[in-house]
Each structure stands twice: as structure tokens, then as C-alpha cells.
Amino acid sequence: EPEVTQTPSHQVTQMGQEVILRCVPISNHLYFYWYRQILGQKVEFLVSFYNNEISEKSEIFDDQFSVERPDGSNFTLKIRSTKLEDSAMYFCASRDTSKETQYFGPGTRLLVL
Amino acid sequence: GQSLEQPSEVTAVEGAIVQINCTYQTSGFYGLSWYQQHDGGAPTFLSYNALDGLEETGRFSSFLSRSDSYGYLLLQELQMKDSASYFCAVSGGYQKVTFGTGTKLQVIP
């Protein structure tokens, strides 16, 4: 069964550094999402992406964040100048046009020191 | 703004039925989804309701009342593996999804 993949599974970085989280959505899906989940808390929407542009973004998704689809398979989240409070699990998700089902990747656990 | 309220914890006996409620206040509404998340795992989609009424998928059913801004997830014939967190989520904008606070379900023998 097709699945969303994410790399790396874990990332440790120093405060102020830039990180890039990578996702490979399911191949025929056209809608892509990034979410984050701070340990023990709810899943928070960051951004949705369709047709090579951002379709929605949350208040969390400020100028520190950017997304890109650099080629036909990858979908990336870049966090510039990371802060301690960026430490969380980051999930990528994708869905096709006909259903509301979002398929989540296994997540990247980011730790900012 | 968007807010979704769920009970924080529910305990139920194996084989029983449990209902997890969700009330929402959102500036836009397209539909209500439910997700399951085991500890350390990713959310897994369970169901989606865009219209009022009950949707059934095996042991899981989900209900929506748009006029009451209310929905619930019903789990029947509970199994130990159903112990997990359950989140309701509102599709409130063009592609924006807001998750509830989550309900931790513990199934006991």
C-alpha cells in the first residue's frame, strides 16, 4: 500500500540553525500538508499546498517557515533560525482530490537545543 | 477563531461501546474528521462527515449535527488495540484543518 515517507526520523539542531524536513507524498496525491505536534499536545496545522503554491497557512506559519516542492516527488519544510519552542514532531500528510482522507507520514522528531 | 472541545480521557471495558464527543466553534465549516493516534505514532484517518447523520465503517461510526456544531465517534466491540488518542478535526477553510485537543481512550480488560 502506498505511504507517505519522511526523512529524517529524528533531527537535533542548535538554536538559530536552519533545518529542512523532507517528505515524499503518495505519488498521485495533489494536496500536501505540514502539521506539528508538541509532545503531549494536539496536532497543529501549519500549511497546505496545492498546485505548487500555498493554499492555507496558520498563524504559526510565519516568515520563519517556508515550503517547497523542488521536484515531482519531494515536499519540504524549511525552518530558518530555529528556536527552542520549535521542538516538536512534524508530520507531513497528503491526499488526493476525490477524498478527504489525509495520509500522514511517520513524522520527524525535531529537537532544538 | 477555531476551537474544538473533547473530553480529555475516557476509560471503557473491552467488548463495550464508547462514544467520544466533539463540539466545535469555527469560522468556516466544510466537514468533521476523526483520527486515531497511538503513542509515538502518526495520526490515522478514521472517518469524515460533511453532512448531518451517521457514517459507519466497520466497528467505528461517526455522527455529525451541523446545527448543533457537534459530532461524535462511536467505537463498538472495543478491543485492547483501540487504546489510543482520538482527535476530531474540522476542515474550516479552503484547505485548513483544525484538530481538537484529543481524547485518550484506555480500554481495560
Coordinates of all heavy atoms in Angstrom, one line a residue, chain A residues 6-72:
Chain A
Q6 N 8.9 10.2 5.4 CA 9.5 11.4 5.9 C 11.0 11.1 6.3 O 11.2 10.1 6.9 CB 8.8 12.0 7.1 CG 7.4 12.6 6.7 CD 6.8 13.3 7.9 OE1 5.7 12.8 8.4 NE2 7.4 14.3 8.4
T7 N 11.8 12.1 6.0 CA 13.2 12.0 6.5 C 13.7 13.4 7.0 O 13.2 14.4 6.5 CB 14.2 11.5 5.3 OG1 14.0 12.4 4.2 CG2 13.9 10.1 4.9
P8 N 14.6 13.4 8.0 CA 15.0 12.2 8.8 C 13.9 11.9 9.8 O 12.9 12.6 10.0 CB 16.2 12.8 9.5 CG 15.9 14.2 9.6 CD 15.2 14.6 8.4
S9 N 14.1 10.8 10.5 CA 13.1 10.4 11.5 C 13.4 11.3 12.8 O 12.4 11.6 13.5 CB 13.2 8.9 11.9 OG 14.5 8.6 12.3
H10 N 14.6 11.6 13.0 CA 15.0 12.5 14.1 C 16.0 13.5 13.7 O 16.9 13.2 12.8 CB 15.6 11.6 15.3 CG 14.7 10.7 15.9 ND1 14.4 9.5 15.4 CD2 14.0 10.7 17.1 CE1 13.6 8.8 16.2 NE2 13.3 9.6 17.2
Q11 N 15.9 14.7 14.2 CA 16.8 15.8 13.9 C 17.1 16.6 15.1 O 16.2 17.0 15.8 CB 16.2 16.7 12.8 CG 17.1 17.9 12.5 CD 18.0 17.7 11.3 OE1 17.6 17.2 10.3 NE2 19.3 18.0 11.5
V12 N 18.4 16.7 15.5 CA 18.8 17.5 16.6 C 19.6 18.7 16.0 O 20.5 18.5 15.2 CB 19.7 16.7 17.6 CG1 20.1 17.7 18.7 CG2 19.0 15.5 18.1
T13 N 19.3 19.9 16.4 CA 19.9 21.1 15.9 C 20.1 22.1 17.0 O 19.5 22.0 18.0 CB 19.1 21.7 14.7 OG1 19.9 22.7 14.1 CG2 17.8 22.3 15.3
Q14 N 21.0 23.0 16.7 CA 21.3 24.1 17.7 C 20.4 25.3 17.4 O 20.0 25.5 16.2 CB 22.8 24.6 17.5 CG 23.8 23.5 17.9 CD 23.8 23.3 19.4 OE1 23.6 24.2 20.2 NE2 24.0 22.0 19.8
M15 N 20.0 25.9 18.4 CA 19.1 27.1 18.3 C 19.8 28.1 17.3 O 21.0 28.3 17.3 CB 19.0 27.8 19.6 CG 18.0 28.9 19.7 SD 17.7 29.4 21.4 CE 19.3 29.9 21.9
G16 N 19.0 28.6 16.4 CA 19.5 29.6 15.4 C 19.8 28.9 14.0 O 20.0 29.6 13.1
Q17 N 19.9 27.6 14.0 CA 20.3 26.9 12.8 C 19.1 26.7 11.9 O 17.9 26.8 12.4 CB 21.0 25.6 13.1 CG 22.3 25.7 13.8 CD 23.3 26.4 13.0 OE1 23.6 25.9 11.9 NE2 23.9 27.5 13.5
E18 N 19.3 26.4 10.7 CA 18.2 26.1 9.7 C 18.1 24.6 9.6 O 19.1 23.9 9.6 CB 18.6 26.8 8.4 CG 17.6 26.4 7.2 CD 18.1 27.0 5.9 OE1 17.9 28.2 5.8 OE2 18.5 26.2 5.1
V19 N 16.8 24.2 9.5 CA 16.6 22.7 9.2 C 15.7 22.6 8.0 O 14.8 23.4 7.8 CB 16.1 22.0 10.4 CG1 17.0 22.0 11.6 CG2 14.7 22.6 10.9
I20 N 15.9 21.5 7.3 CA 14.9 21.2 6.2 C 14.4 19.8 6.5 O 15.2 18.8 6.6 CB 15.7 21.2 4.9 CG1 16.1 22.6 4.6 CG2 14.7 20.7 3.8 CD1 16.9 22.7 3.3
L21 N 13.1 19.7 6.6 CA 12.4 18.4 6.8 C 11.8 18.0 5.5 O 11.2 18.8 4.7 CB 11.3 18.5 7.8 CG 11.7 19.2 9.2 CD1 10.5 19.2 10.1 CD2 12.9 18.6 9.8
R22 N 12.0 16.7 5.2 CA 11.6 16.2 3.8 C 10.5 15.2 3.9 O 10.4 14.4 4.8 CB 12.9 15.6 3.1 CG 13.9 16.6 2.8 CD 15.1 16.0 2.0 NE 15.9 17.1 1.4 CZ 16.8 17.8 2.1 NH1 17.0 17.6 3.4 NH2 17.5 18.8 1.5
C23 N 9.7 15.2 2.9 CA 8.5 14.4 2.8 C 8.4 13.9 1.3 O 8.6 14.7 0.4 CB 7.3 15.2 3.2 SG 5.7 14.4 2.9
V24 N 8.0 12.7 1.2 CA 7.6 12.2 -0.1 C 6.1 11.8 0.0 O 5.8 10.7 0.6 CB 8.5 11.0 -0.6 CG1 8.0 10.5 -2.0 CG2 9.9 11.4 -0.7
P25 N 5.2 12.6 -0.6 CA 3.8 12.2 -0.5 C 3.5 11.0 -1.4 O 4.3 10.6 -2.2 CB 3.1 13.5 -1.1 CG 4.2 14.6 -1.0 CD 5.5 13.9 -1.2
I26 N 2.3 10.5 -1.3 CA 1.8 9.4 -2.1 C 1.7 10.0 -3.5 O 1.3 11.1 -3.8 CB 0.5 8.9 -1.6 CG1 0.7 8.2 -0.3 CG2 -0.1 7.9 -2.6 CD1 -0.5 7.8 0.5
S27 N 2.2 9.2 -4.5 CA 2.5 9.7 -5.8 C 1.4 10.3 -6.6 O 1.6 11.3 -7.3 CB 3.1 8.6 -6.7 OG 2.2 7.5 -6.9
N28 N 0.2 9.9 -6.5 CA -0.9 10.5 -7.2 C -1.7 11.6 -6.4 O -2.7 12.1 -6.9 CB -1.8 9.5 -7.8 CG -2.5 8.7 -6.7 OD1 -2.0 8.6 -5.6 ND2 -3.6 8.1 -7.0
H29 N -1.2 11.9 -5.3 CA -1.9 12.9 -4.5 C -1.4 14.3 -4.9 O -0.3 14.6 -5.3 CB -1.5 12.7 -3.0 CG -2.3 11.5 -2.4 ND1 -2.2 11.2 -1.1 CD2 -3.1 10.6 -3.0 CE1 -2.9 10.1 -0.8 NE2 -3.4 9.7 -2.0
L30 N -2.4 15.3 -4.7 CA -2.1 16.6 -5.2 C -2.2 17.6 -4.0 O -1.8 18.8 -4.2 CB -3.2 17.0 -6.2 CG -3.1 16.2 -7.5 CD1 -4.2 16.7 -8.5 CD2 -1.8 16.2 -8.2
Y31 N -2.7 17.3 -2.9 CA -2.8 18.2 -1.7 C -1.8 17.7 -0.7 O -1.7 16.5 -0.3 CB -4.2 18.2 -1.1 CG -5.2 18.7 -2.0 CD1 -6.0 17.9 -2.9 CD2 -5.5 20.1 -2.0 CE1 -7.0 18.4 -3.7 CE2 -6.5 20.6 -2.8 CZ -7.2 19.7 -3.7 OH -8.2 20.2 -4.5
F32 N -1.0 18.6 -0.2 CA 0.0 18.3 0.8 C -0.1 19.2 2.0 O -0.5 20.4 1.8 CB 1.4 18.5 0.2 CG 1.6 17.9 -1.2 CD1 2.0 18.6 -2.3 CD2 1.3 16.5 -1.4 CE1 2.1 18.1 -3.6 CE2 1.4 16.0 -2.7 CZ 1.8 16.7 -3.7
Y33 N 0.3 18.7 3.1 CA 0.1 19.4 4.4 C 1.4 19.2 5.3 O 2.0 18.2 5.2 CB -1.1 18.9 5.2 CG -2.4 18.9 4.4 CD1 -2.7 17.9 3.5 CD2 -3.3 19.9 4.6 CE1 -3.9 17.9 2.8 CE2 -4.5 19.9 3.8 CZ -4.8 18.9 3.0 OH -5.9 18.9 2.2
W34 N 1.6 20.2 6.1 CA 2.5 20.0 7.2 C 1.8 20.4 8.5 O 1.0 21.4 8.6 CB 3.8 21.0 7.1 CG 4.8 20.5 6.2 CD1 5.0 20.9 4.9 CD2 5.8 19.4 6.4 NE1 6.1 20.2 4.3 CE2 6.5 19.3 5.2 CE3 6.1 18.6 7.5 CZ2 7.6 18.4 5.1 CZ3 7.1 17.7 7.4 CH2 7.8 17.6 6.2
Y35 N 2.0 19.5 9.5 CA 1.5 19.7 10.9 C 2.6 19.6 11.9 O 3.7 19.0 11.6 CB 0.5 18.6 11.2 CG -0.8 18.6 10.3 CD1 -0.8 17.9 9.2 CD2 -1.9 19.3 10.7 CE1 -1.9 17.9 8.4 CE2 -3.1 19.3 10.0 CZ -3.1 18.5 8.8 OH -4.2 18.5 8.0
R36 N 2.4 20.1 13.1 CA 3.4 19.8 14.1 C 2.6 19.4 15.4 O 1.4 19.8 15.6 CB 4.3 21.0 14.4 CG 3.6 22.1 15.3 CD 4.6 23.2 15.6 NE 4.0 24.1 16.5 CZ 4.5 25.3 16.9 NH1 5.7 25.6 16.4 NH2 3.9 26.1 17.7
Q37 N 3.3 18.7 16.2 CA 2.7 18.2 17.5 C 3.7 18.3 18.6 O 4.7 17.5 18.5 CB 2.1 16.8 17.3 CG 1.4 16.3 18.5 CD 0.7 15.0 18.3 OE1 1.3 14.1 17.6 NE2 -0.4 14.7 18.9
I38 N 3.6 19.2 19.5 CA 4.4 19.3 20.6 C 4.1 18.2 21.5 O 2.9 17.8 21.7 CB 4.3 20.7 21.3 CG1 4.8 21.8 20.4 CG2 5.0 20.7 22.6 CD1 4.4 23.2 20.8
L39 N 5.1 17.6 22.2 CA 4.9 16.4 23.0 C 3.7 16.5 23.9 O 3.6 17.5 24.7 CB 6.1 16.1 23.8 CG 6.2 14.8 24.5 CD1 6.1 13.6 23.5 CD2 7.5 14.7 25.3
G40 N 2.8 15.6 23.8 CA 1.6 15.5 24.7 C 0.5 16.5 24.4 O -0.5 16.6 25.1
Q41 N 0.6 17.2 23.2 CA -0.4 18.2 22.9 C -1.1 17.8 21.6 O -0.8 16.7 21.0 CB 0.2 19.6 22.8 CG 0.8 20.1 24.1 CD 1.3 21.5 24.0 OE1 0.9 22.3 23.1 NE2 2.2 21.9 24.9
K42 N -2.0 18.6 21.1 CA -2.7 18.3 19.9 C -1.9 18.5 18.7 O -0.9 19.2 18.7 CB -4.0 19.1 19.9 CG -3.8 20.6 19.7 CD -5.1 21.3 19.5 CE -5.0 22.8 19.3 NZ -6.2 23.5 19.1
V43 N -2.4 18.0 17.6 CA -1.8 18.2 16.3 C -2.2 19.6 15.8 O -3.4 20.0 15.9 CB -2.3 17.2 15.3 CG1 -1.8 17.4 13.9 CG2 -2.0 15.8 15.7
E44 N -1.2 20.4 15.3 CA -1.5 21.8 14.9 C -1.2 21.9 13.4 O -0.1 21.5 12.9 CB -0.6 22.7 15.7 CG -0.8 22.8 17.1 CD 0.2 23.7 17.8 OE1 1.4 23.4 17.9 OE2 -0.2 24.8 18.3
F45 N -2.1 22.5 12.7 CA -2.0 22.7 11.3 C -0.9 23.8 11.0 O -1.0 24.9 11.7 CB -3.3 23.1 10.7 CG -3.3 23.6 9.3 CD1 -3.3 22.8 8.2 CD2 -3.3 25.0 9.1 CE1 -3.3 23.3 6.9 CE2 -3.3 25.5 7.8 CZ -3.3 24.6 6.7
L46 N -0.1 23.6 10.1 CA 0.9 24.6 9.7 C 0.5 25.2 8.4 O 0.4 26.4 8.2 CB 2.3 24.1 9.6 CG 2.9 23.6 11.0 CD1 4.3 23.0 10.7 CD2 3.0 24.8 11.9
V47 N 0.4 24.3 7.3 CA 0.3 24.8 6.0 C -0.3 23.8 5.1 O -0.1 22.6 5.3 CB 1.7 25.3 5.5 CG1 2.6 24.2 5.3 CG2 1.6 26.1 4.2
S48 N -1.0 24.2 4.1 CA -1.4 23.3 3.0 C -0.9 23.8 1.7 O -0.7 25.0 1.5 CB -3.0 23.1 3.0 OG -3.6 24.4 2.8
F49 N -0.8 22.9 0.7 CA -0.1 23.2 -0.5 C -0.8 22.5 -1.7 O -1.0 21.3 -1.6 CB 1.4 22.7 -0.4 CG 2.3 23.2 -1.4 CD1 3.0 24.4 -1.3 CD2 2.6 22.4 -2.5 CE1 3.9 24.9 -2.2 CE2 3.5 22.9 -3.5 CZ 4.2 24.1 -3.3
Y50 N -1.1 23.3 -2.7 CA -1.7 22.6 -3.8 C -1.4 23.4 -5.1 O -1.2 24.6 -5.1 CB -3.3 22.7 -3.7 CG -4.1 22.3 -4.9 CD1 -4.1 21.0 -5.3 CD2 -4.7 23.2 -5.6 CE1 -4.9 20.6 -6.4 CE2 -5.4 22.9 -6.8 CZ -5.5 21.6 -7.1 OH -6.2 21.2 -8.2
N51 N -1.1 22.7 -6.1 CA -0.8 23.3 -7.4 C 0.4 24.2 -7.3 O 0.4 25.3 -7.9 CB -2.0 24.1 -7.9 CG -2.0 24.3 -9.4 OD1 -1.4 23.6 -10.2 ND2 -2.7 25.3 -9.9
N52 N 1.4 23.7 -6.6 CA 2.7 24.5 -6.5 C 2.6 25.8 -5.7 O 3.4 26.7 -5.9 CB 3.3 24.7 -7.8 CG 3.9 23.4 -8.4 OD1 4.5 22.6 -7.6 ND2 3.8 23.1 -9.6
E53 N 1.5 25.9 -4.9 CA 1.5 27.1 -4.1 C 0.8 26.8 -2.8 O 0.0 25.9 -2.7 CB 0.9 28.3 -4.8 CG -0.6 28.0 -5.2 CD -1.1 29.2 -6.0 OE1 -0.3 30.0 -6.7 OE2 -2.4 29.4 -6.0
I54 N 1.1 27.7 -1.8 CA 0.4 27.6 -0.5 C -1.1 27.9 -0.7 O -1.4 29.0 -1.3 CB 1.1 28.5 0.5 CG1 2.5 28.0 0.9 CG2 0.2 28.6 1.8 CD1 3.3 28.9 1.8
S55 N -2.0 27.1 -0.2 CA -3.4 27.4 -0.2 C -3.9 27.9 1.1 O -4.8 28.7 1.1 CB -4.2 26.2 -0.7 OG -3.8 25.0 0.0
E56 N -3.4 27.4 2.2 CA -3.8 28.0 3.5 C -2.5 27.9 4.4 O -1.7 27.0 4.3 CB -4.9 27.1 4.1 CG -6.3 27.3 3.5 CD -7.1 28.4 4.2 OE1 -6.5 29.1 5.1 OE2 -8.2 28.6 3.8
K57 N -2.5 28.8 5.4 CA -1.4 28.7 6.4 C -2.0 29.2 7.7 O -2.9 30.0 7.7 CB -0.2 29.4 6.0 CG -0.4 30.9 5.8 CD 1.0 31.5 5.3 CE 0.8 33.0 5.1 NZ 2.1 33.7 4.7
S58 N -1.4 28.7 8.8 CA -1.9 29.1 10.1 C -1.1 30.2 10.6 O -0.1 30.6 10.0 CB -1.8 27.9 11.1 OG -0.5 27.6 11.4
E59 N -1.5 30.7 11.8 CA -0.8 31.8 12.5 C 0.7 31.4 12.8 O 1.6 32.2 13.0 CB -1.5 32.3 13.7 CG -3.0 32.6 13.5 CD -3.9 31.5 13.3 OE1 -3.6 30.4 13.8 OE2 -5.0 31.6 12.7
I60 N 0.8 30.1 13.1 CA 2.2 29.6 13.4 C 3.1 29.7 12.3 O 4.3 30.0 12.5 CB 2.1 28.1 13.8 CG1 1.1 27.9 15.0 CG2 3.4 27.5 14.2 CD1 0.7 26.4 15.2
F61 N 2.6 29.6 11.1 CA 3.5 29.6 9.9 C 3.9 31.0 9.5 O 3.3 31.6 8.6 CB 2.7 28.9 8.7 CG 3.6 28.5 7.6 CD1 4.2 27.2 7.5 CD2 3.8 29.3 6.5 CE1 5.0 26.9 6.4 CE2 4.5 29.0 5.4 CZ 5.2 27.7 5.4
D62 N 4.9 31.5 10.2 CA 5.3 32.9 9.9 C 6.5 32.8 9.0 O 6.8 31.8 8.4 CB 5.6 33.6 11.2 CG 6.7 32.9 12.1 OD1 7.4 32.1 11.5 OD2 6.7 33.1 13.3
D63 N 7.2 34.0 8.9 CA 8.3 34.1 8.0 C 9.5 33.1 8.3 O 10.4 33.0 7.4 CB 8.8 35.5 8.0 CG 7.8 36.5 7.4 OD1 6.9 36.0 6.7 OD2 7.9 37.7 7.6
Q64 N 9.4 32.5 9.4 CA 10.5 31.6 9.8 C 10.3 30.3 9.0 O 11.3 29.6 8.8 CB 10.3 31.3 11.3 CG 11.4 30.3 11.8 CD 11.0 29.8 13.2 OE1 9.8 30.1 13.7 NE2 11.9 29.2 13.9
F65 N 9.2 30.0 8.5 CA 8.9 28.8 7.8 C 8.7 29.0 6.3 O 8.2 30.1 5.8 CB 7.5 28.2 8.3 CG 7.6 27.8 9.8 CD1 7.2 28.7 10.8 CD2 7.9 26.5 10.1 CE1 7.3 28.3 12.1 CE2 7.9 26.1 11.4 CZ 7.6 27.0 12.4
S66 N 9.0 28.0 5.5 CA 8.7 28.0 4.1 C 8.6 26.6 3.6 O 9.1 25.6 4.3 CB 9.8 28.7 3.3 OG 11.1 28.0 3.4
V67 N 7.8 26.4 2.6 CA 7.6 25.1 2.0 C 8.0 25.1 0.5 O 7.9 26.2 -0.1 CB 6.2 24.5 2.1 CG1 5.9 24.2 3.6 CG2 5.2 25.5 1.6
E68 N 8.4 24.0 0.0 CA 8.8 23.9 -1.4 C 8.5 22.5 -1.9 O 8.6 21.5 -1.2 CB 10.3 24.2 -1.5 CG 10.8 24.5 -2.9 CD 12.2 24.9 -2.9 OE1 13.0 24.3 -2.1 OE2 12.6 25.7 -3.7
R69 N 8.2 22.5 -3.2 CA 8.1 21.2 -3.9 C 9.2 21.2 -5.0 O 9.0 21.6 -6.1 CB 6.8 21.0 -4.5 CG 6.5 19.6 -5.1 CD 5.1 19.3 -5.0 NE 4.7 18.1 -5.9 CZ 4.9 16.8 -5.5 NH1 5.4 16.6 -4.3 NH2 4.5 15.9 -6.3
P70 N 10.4 20.9 -4.6 CA 11.6 21.1 -5.5 C 11.6 20.2 -6.7 O 12.2 20.6 -7.7 CB 12.8 20.8 -4.6 CG 12.2 19.9 -3.6 CD 10.8 20.3 -3.3
D71 N 10.8 19.1 -6.7 CA 10.8 18.2 -7.8 C 9.4 17.5 -7.8 O 8.5 17.9 -7.0 CB 11.9 17.2 -7.9 CG 12.0 16.4 -6.6 OD1 11.0 16.0 -6.1 OD2 13.1 16.3 -6.0
G72 N 9.2 16.5 -8.6 CA 7.9 15.9 -8.7 C 7.6 15.0 -7.6 O 6.4 14.5 -7.5

